[in-house]
Amino acid sequence: MEPTTLTTERLLLRPFDERDVEAVQAACQDPEIVRWIPVPDPYGRKDAEEFVFGVSPAGWREDTMYNFGVFTKTGTLVGSMGLVRLAQLRTPERQAELGFWTVKEQRGKGYTVEAGRAVIDWAFSGLKAERLEWVAEAGNVASRAVAVRLGFVMEGTQRARIVQRGTRRDAWVATLLPLDLGQGMETPYLPAGGSANR
């Protein structure tokens, strides 16, 4: 996949580049990011460089992760958001997972939901995804609040779903379908006890 750029009323979503190393390193000093996201701890400049120059571009190139840096229109880093677990995106399952983190100073401004709506629209309209998952360690109430505001439907808790820092952890899981947003799907959907729809 060629890296792409998305815009919203207040934000620019673009692939990370050399301008972003220091901001990424600074963001990942936040104990909340370290607590919930599987980033190195401590998080140094080399870790930020590996993320910006290695992990993120490789994800686009190898179709394993489509990751955006989220920035205000003035260039301030808001966070990171993208689609991960893409192995089933181009199979009949047509699904991916939405993942994100937000810089401490940018929380509570609605930026993450705004960016999420742009990525979801791109996933459903541009990539023809038909099912998006949101997965977070059980207890991550801030991430859950974003998922709910984006329209994800909570499906429950999966035991031992996440392995982080050598420990299996329970995860909350939610899903979003194009139908939830009033959009159609190419593959008919037959809900339990219902009739097929598009």
Side-chain angles (χ1 to χ4, degrees):
M1 166 71 75
E2 281 297 315
T4 191
T5 298
L6 305 173
T7 57
T8 70
E9 181 181 340
R10 300 183 295 167
L11 303 171
L12 173 67
L13 286 72
R14 62 164 173 79
F16 284 101
D17 64 32
E18 64 276 356
R19 297 170 284 180
D20 309 319
V21 172
E22 289 182 14
V24 168
Q25 180 184 357
C28 291
Q29 304 310 304
D30 176 18
E32 285 297 298
I33 289 178
V34 174
R35 166 67 182 90
W36 300 111
I37 306 295
V39 298
D41 182 22
Y43 195 94
R45 183 173 179 89
K46 288 188 188 245
D47 300 308
E49 289 173 347
E50 173 59 21
F51 179 70
V52 168
F53 299 125
V55 173
S56 288
W60 287 96
R61 188 174 57 251
E62 298 165 8
D63 293 314
T64 57
M65 173 178 69
Y66 300 150
N67 194 49
F68 297 92
V70 180
F71 301 88
T72 64
K73 295 285 178 79
T74 59
T76 302
L77 177 65
V78 169
S80 176
M81 176 170 293
L83 300 176
V84 299
R85 303 188 201 288
L86 300 180
Q88 294 182 310
L89 182 60
R90 289 179 177 80
T91 67
E93 286 74 20
R94 291 178 153 172
Q95 66 183 24
E97 180 183 323
L98 182 71
F100 52 86
W101 54 259
T102 307
V103 174
K104 179 179 180 180
E105 294 77 15
Q106 303 302 328
R107 294 177 194 147
K109 300 177 182 180
Y111 288 148
T112 307
V113 171
E114 186 174 328
R117 288 186 178 126
V119 173
I120 289 165
D121 182 62
W122 176 67
F124 287 158
S125 300
L127 302 178
K128 304 301 182 196
E130 293 187 344
R131 184 175 189 274
L132 293 180
E133 284 189 336
W134 163 86
V135 178
E137 184 180 336
N140 191 343
V141 294
S143 185
R144 180 179 175 151
V146 169
V148 168
R149 284 188 63 197
L150 287 170
F152 280 81
V153 175
M154 298 305 299
E155 293 188 338
T157 302
Q158 292 184 344
R159 297 186 311 145
R161 165 78 184 256
I162 296 171
V163 178
Q164 183 167 307
R165 304 195 203 300
T167 303
R168 285 201 171 274
R169 301 162 191 247
D170 293 347
W172 286 335
V173 179
T175 57
L176 184 67
L177 307 177
L179 298 173
D180 298 328
L181 303 178
Q183 300 175 26
M185 300 191 305
E186 287 185 27
T187 309
Y189 171 43
L190 180 62
S195 58
N197 59 49
R198 292 181 185 265

